[in-house]
Amino acid sequence: MEKSGNHHATESSESHLHKSDDHDHKQHSDDSEQNLHSSTPESKSESSSELSLLQVMEAVDGFIESLSSEKDDDQVQEIPPAVEPFPETVDSLVSKMESSGLGRDETEDSAFIDAVNRISKSVMRLRELKLDSTPVSSWLNRASSVQHHAVSLLDEEFRHLLDRCREEKKNRNNSDGNSSDHNHSSATESDRCVLPDNEEEEEERFPDFSPESISTLKKIAGAMIFAGYESECCMSYEMSRRHAFKEELSEVGFEGINVEDVQRIAWESLEGEIASWISIVRRCSTVLFPGEHSLCNTLFSDQDHAAIRKRLFTGLVSAVTIRFLDFSGAVVLTKRSSEKLFKFLDMYETLRDLIPAVEQTDSDLIQEIKLAQTRLGEAAVTIFGELEKSIKSDNGRTPVPSGAVHPLTRYTMNYLKYACEYKDTLDQVFQHYESNQTDSIHEPETKPKQQQREDDEEYKTSAFARQMIRVMELLDANLDIKSKLYRDLSLRYIFLMNNGRYILQKIKGSIEIRDLMGQSWTRKRSTELRQYHKSYQRETWGKVLQCMNQEGLQVNGKVSKPVLKERFKIFNALFDEIHKTQSTWIVSDEQMQSELRVSISALVIPAYRSFFGRYKQHLDSGKQTDKYVKYQPEDIESFIDDLFDGNHPTSLARKRN
């Protein structure tokens, strides 16, 4: 492995590793070195060797301190005898660690890395001094060679530990998958009972590494960077974590998302791809990216490593995030249609939630995410505009049978109800879109109407509320045109009542729509419904009530039988026609149906009972009376209850019998 980077340690680097006083450093060295060979029985010669190592380490500390305070005119001409064997001592430790490996005994690891740090510091300081002494140069060459050998081992162990932890996780997952459902369920329940929520999240953020492994990896990274091998350390880290991240994403199906196929596949299939994309990006936002960020911050936690942390984390998440953005960019280019709105909004929200997870990266990546998010938002605005176009262009000339709720009304209100579940996002989207427009999104309005809107409470609420009001105005205008397709004026009002009631009930049934539209708009809608009701009564039952008017019934102070008979005859004909026709009409809302019947009964029955009671006696009894007096007062309410059922009525005569 070639050595790269700056090998000359700065005074701040030296003070960072050896800032503690001599007593604390000596105590740490004693503890580390006493345990370096404690795992096997020691002979007297080995004890002597260990003592020699401790003495050498102490001598090196003193030597480094003397180098740090050395003056230019007081050059070091030779290496102290106690320090002379230090390269060979470290080299023997390297050989020992090559056979045993790091990450198995934390104390041994610490002692070894301490020794490597000492030789690195010695090498860097001597190089800074540029001494001409042959003994010093010879020692420096030996120490440099040993340092290179030691750091090569650290690099190998660093990669091995990173990969080993990933393999162990994979094996655990395989083992869990092969265990019985009962055991798996029991373990899961046990975990849920024992661990608080925050501990469960922490475990998910750090699924790959044990605390012991983290500690060893952190020490290795610090030693390699201190020795001047930053680029090698970062390369090893990046390669391992990229591979680990690729495996994580493969497990959740990321490899299956093909950007090239987006333009070719049907929307139904693409919906599934989008759902997978959303799931994967959200997992990155909540688990994988925060986990990688925590790992990077932990392993490179030194305050001097901030640039390293940012570079490594940015490099890792950028590669993945750009692929996410490529997919969203391809989806945006697909043909726009109203049913795509909600998937586009899901993707918009997903990218919005991704930003906090990558805020520690460079600004370019965040800008790329925001740009992709903006494109999705603009597409959503365009798609919502398709709803307005569909309302305007729905100019069918065939009226809905029986005055029922028009399919356009159902589609529009259900669409708006679903859209309002995204009201905050849509408001954000429309605000952003409006702020980037120099002209109105829609056709220019007359100044008085525009001023009137701006004075409305609803107009001031939000950008999306204004869009909702516009859609409702378009729907009202379209329904008014469609109502004129009915030749029967009464049926026209039934149609307007049905559709108006459906709209009002949808608004009342959705807190989101109700909040957006405002109370004044809802009250206005209720007032319009009552007006339709009154117009229907006047148009349908006005002539019926006119038949029971007492004016014109008396001639020379007496009731005119011919006029009375004609009045009953006209009443019967009108009522028969209304019953026959309006029994086939539909009022789908049960409450409104009941309200209509009650109001008709309250209007017609008292008037008929009074007319019937006062004038029946003036008709001859027998067949002539039955001929003209077709209905008893109690029959009227029963026949009124037949109205608006949408059924073909039976003969009134048969019903009476």
Side-chain angles (χ1 to χ4, degrees):
M1 180 182 66
E2 292 298 327
K3 181 176 177 183
S4 64
N6 183 6
H7 299 291
H8 301 289
T10 63
E11 293 300 326
S12 61
S13 298
E14 294 169 0
S15 61
H16 172 71
L17 285 178
H18 302 282
K19 195 78 174 178
S20 59
D21 58 49
D22 291 341
H23 173 74
D24 291 340
H25 189 79
K26 178 179 182 299
Q27 182 63 45
H28 175 72
S29 298
D30 290 348
D31 293 341
S32 298
E33 300 308 324
Q34 285 172 3
N35 289 290
L36 183 61
H37 303 286
S38 61
S39 59
T40 58
E42 300 287 348
S43 63
K44 287 185 178 182
S45 61
E46 288 172 328
S47 297
S48 176
S49 173
E50 181 176 314
L51 182 61
S52 175
L53 176 60
L54 290 174
Q55 291 174 338
V56 171
M57 297 280 273
E58 291 174 4
V60 170
D61 290 338
F63 179 59
I64 293 172
E65 185 176 352
S66 69
L67 291 176
S68 300
S69 60
E70 195 71 44
K71 296 180 180 178
D72 292 340
D73 57 354
D74 188 13
Q75 296 284 313
V76 176
Q77 297 299 320
E78 60 181 20
I79 303 297
V83 178
E84 177 67 29
F86 187 54
E88 287 71 29
T89 302
V90 175
D91 198 37
S92 66
L93 293 178
V94 172
S95 298
K96 175 177 172 57
M97 298 308 291
E98 282 179 331
S99 61
S100 63
L102 276 76
R104 305 182 188 280
D105 187 302
E106 188 173 359
T107 303
E108 286 189 0
D109 294 344
S110 296
F112 173 67
I113 291 174
D114 281 346
V116 175
N117 284 335
R118 281 182 176 90
I119 201 167
S120 294
K121 194 167 187 178
S122 302
V123 167
M124 286 186 287
R125 184 57 181 147
L126 286 172
R127 281 180 175 152
E128 288 174 359
L129 294 175
K130 300 179 180 178
L131 302 175
D132 295 330
S133 169
T134 301
V136 173
S137 298
S138 175
W139 190 92
L140 179 58
N141 289 335
R142 285 157 45 213
S144 297
S145 177
V146 171
Q147 182 203 34
H148 182 78
H149 188 191
V151 175
S152 296
L153 172 63
L154 290 178
D155 185 38
E156 183 180 343
E157 290 296 314
F158 191 64
R159 286 184 281 108
H160 174 69
L161 272 175
L162 288 170
D163 294 341
R164 188 180 74 186
C165 293
R166 190 179 73 246
E167 290 300 319
E168 287 176 354
K169 174 183 179 288
K170 189 186 300 184
N171 293 335
R172 285 197 304 272
N173 290 344
N174 293 336
S175 176
D176 290 343
N178 293 330
S179 62
S180 66
D181 293 340
H182 173 74
N183 290 338
H184 178 73
S185 175
S186 299
T188 303
E189 293 301 324
S190 175
D191 290 344
R192 288 177 181 171
C193 292
V194 172
L195 294 176
D197 290 344
N198 61 335
E199 290 187 21
E200 285 186 0
E201 291 176 5
E202 188 67 22
E203 184 177 342
E204 191 172 14
R205 288 189 176 194
F206 270 104
D208 295 356
F209 302 97
S210 66
E212 295 77 16
S213 297
I214 290 289
S215 177
T216 303
L217 287 166
K218 180 179 178 180
K219 291 173 184 175
I220 293 174
M224 290 184 68
I225 294 171
F226 180 69
Y229 290 80
E230 175 185 318
S231 61
E232 287 80 0
C233 178
C234 292
M235 183 181 297
S236 295
Y237 180 84
E238 282 185 304
M239 289 178 62
S240 179
R241 295 316 299 158
R242 281 179 186 271
H243 190 61
F245 212 82
K246 183 178 180 181
E247 289 181 351
E248 290 280 355
L249 293 177
S250 295
E251 285 181 10
V252 291
F254 182 61
E255 295 299 326
I257 298 177
N258 193 331
V259 175
E260 288 73 20
D261 290 340
V262 169
Q263 300 295 325
R264 295 194 295 268
I265 62 177
W267 173 247
E268 291 75 13
S269 300
L270 184 55
E271 278 187 298
E273 294 292 313
I274 292 173
S276 297
W277 180 91
I278 290 171
S279 176
I280 292 165
V281 178
R282 284 178 178 169
R283 177 166 173 78
C284 285
S285 300
T286 57
V287 178
L288 300 184
F289 284 178
E292 290 297 325
H293 186 248
S294 295
L295 177 63
C296 195
N297 280 357
T298 302
L299 298 192
F300 303 94
S301 59
D302 191 292
Q303 63 181 8
D304 296 330
H305 297 166
I308 297 175
R309 291 194 296 271
K310 183 174 183 178
R311 186 174 70 251
L312 288 174
F313 182 63
T314 299
L316 178 67
V317 303
S318 293
V320 177
T321 301
I322 292 302
R323 292 186 64 190
F324 292 155
L325 301 184
D326 287 344
F327 181 81
S328 72
V331 172
V332 164
L333 295 176
T334 60
K335 184 179 179 181
R336 310 286 165 79
S337 57
S338 56
E339 74 274 9
K340 296 182 180 181
L341 174 66
F342 307 111
K343 285 298 181 185
F344 275 58
L345 292 175
D346 285 337
M347 294 180 74
Y348 179 94
E349 292 177 348
T350 301
L351 288 182
R352 182 185 62 196
D353 296 340
L354 177 64
I355 292 176
V358 299
E359 62 185 356
Q360 300 301 324
T361 64
D362 58 37
S363 58
D364 290 343
L365 180 62
I366 295 175
Q367 287 304 117
E368 286 291 330
I369 297 174
K370 289 182 177 179
L371 179 59
Q373 184 185 343
T374 298
R375 288 170 178 162
L376 284 166
E378 290 173 349
V381 169
T382 304
I383 291 172
F384 196 86
E386 293 296 319
L387 176 65
E388 297 181 13
K389 290 180 181 178
S390 67
I391 295 172
K392 287 180 180 179
S393 62
D394 193 313
N395 52 8
R397 305 301 299 171
T398 303
V400 176
S402 307
V405 178
H406 198 280
L408 177 64
T409 305
R410 293 184 185 276
Y411 176 81
T412 301
M413 293 310 300
N414 285 317
Y415 194 89
L416 293 179
K417 184 176 184 295
Y418 197 7
C420 281
E421 294 181 11
Y422 298 83
K423 66 174 184 176
D424 292 336
T425 299
L426 280 167
D427 188 48
Q428 184 180 359
V429 163
F430 278 108
Q431 280 183 351
H432 180 81
Y433 187 77
E434 288 180 3
S435 67
N436 286 286
Q437 299 300 305
T438 54
D439 301 317
S440 175
I441 298 175
H442 307 291
E443 298 174 2
E445 298 181 86
T446 60
K447 191 170 183 179
K449 186 175 181 181
Q450 188 174 9
Q451 183 64 46
Q452 180 183 356
R453 280 235 195 110
E454 290 173 352
D455 292 337
D456 288 344
E457 179 183 351
E458 293 91 338
Y459 191 87
K460 298 174 184 177
T461 302
S462 70
F464 181 47
R466 294 194 289 274
Q467 294 297 320
M468 287 282 290
I469 291 171
R470 175 171 175 76
V471 170
M472 299 303 286
E473 289 174 348
L474 289 173
L475 180 60
D476 283 343
N478 191 292
L479 291 174
D480 186 64
I481 293 172
K482 290 185 183 335
S483 71
K484 293 177 172 58
L485 297 174
Y486 297 98
R487 294 181 180 179
D488 190 320
L489 196 57
S490 296
L491 184 54
R492 181 180 301 177
Y493 291 124
I494 291 294
F495 172 78
L496 291 172
M497 271 192 286
N498 270 323
N499 286 270
R501 181 73 169 203
Y502 183 86
I503 292 170
L504 187 62
Q505 291 301 99
K506 281 292 183 180
I507 292 173
K508 289 182 176 180
S510 170
I511 296 175
E512 292 81 7
I513 301 182
R514 192 166 68 245
D515 290 345
L516 280 170
M517 302 307 295
Q519 292 183 351
S520 61
W521 192 93
T522 306
R523 286 194 297 269
K524 179 183 175 183
R525 176 69 61 172
S526 297
T527 300
E528 289 176 352
L529 270 179
R530 287 193 294 271
Q531 190 58 49
Y532 293 147
H533 189 146
K534 290 178 181 178
S535 298
Y536 161 78
Q537 284 188 332
R538 184 177 61 252
E539 184 64 30
T540 300
W541 300 100
K543 294 177 182 178
V544 175
L545 294 176
Q546 188 64 34
C547 295
M548 295 179 282
N549 195 320
Q550 297 183 33
E551 293 182 9
L553 284 176
Q554 293 189 358
V555 178
N556 298 324
K558 293 184 179 181
V559 174
S560 172
K561 289 185 179 180
V563 174
L564 182 61
K565 290 177 182 179
E566 185 65 20
R567 289 286 185 88
F568 272 107
K569 184 177 180 182
I570 293 173
F571 174 86
N572 294 337
L574 287 173
F575 193 79
D576 284 353
E577 181 61 27
I578 290 170
H579 184 271
K580 177 183 178 182
T581 302
Q582 298 193 17
S583 294
T584 65
W585 294 357
I586 295 173
V587 174
S588 51
D589 183 86
E590 292 183 0
Q591 183 178 346
M592 190 172 76
Q593 186 186 75
S594 176
E595 289 171 356
L596 274 169
R597 289 170 177 172
V598 168
S599 68
I600 293 168
S601 296
L603 190 69
V604 176
I605 292 174
Y608 184 73
R609 181 176 283 114
S610 175
F611 184 81
F612 180 86
R614 174 173 294 187
Y615 295 108
K616 180 186 176 184
Q617 60 186 345
H618 295 283
L619 297 175
D620 296 332
S621 60
K623 291 183 179 181
Q624 190 177 28
T625 301
D626 292 339
K627 180 179 178 181
Y628 294 105
V629 182
K630 192 172 183 179
Y631 301 108
Q632 297 297 314
E634 56 270 19
D635 296 331
I636 298 297
E637 185 170 4
S638 175
F639 296 142
I640 288 174
D641 285 342
D642 288 339
L643 302 180
F644 317 122
D645 270 339
N647 299 317
H648 292 288
T650 56
S651 166
L652 290 181
R654 284 206 309 273
K655 184 166 183 178
R656 290 180 64 203
N657 293 334

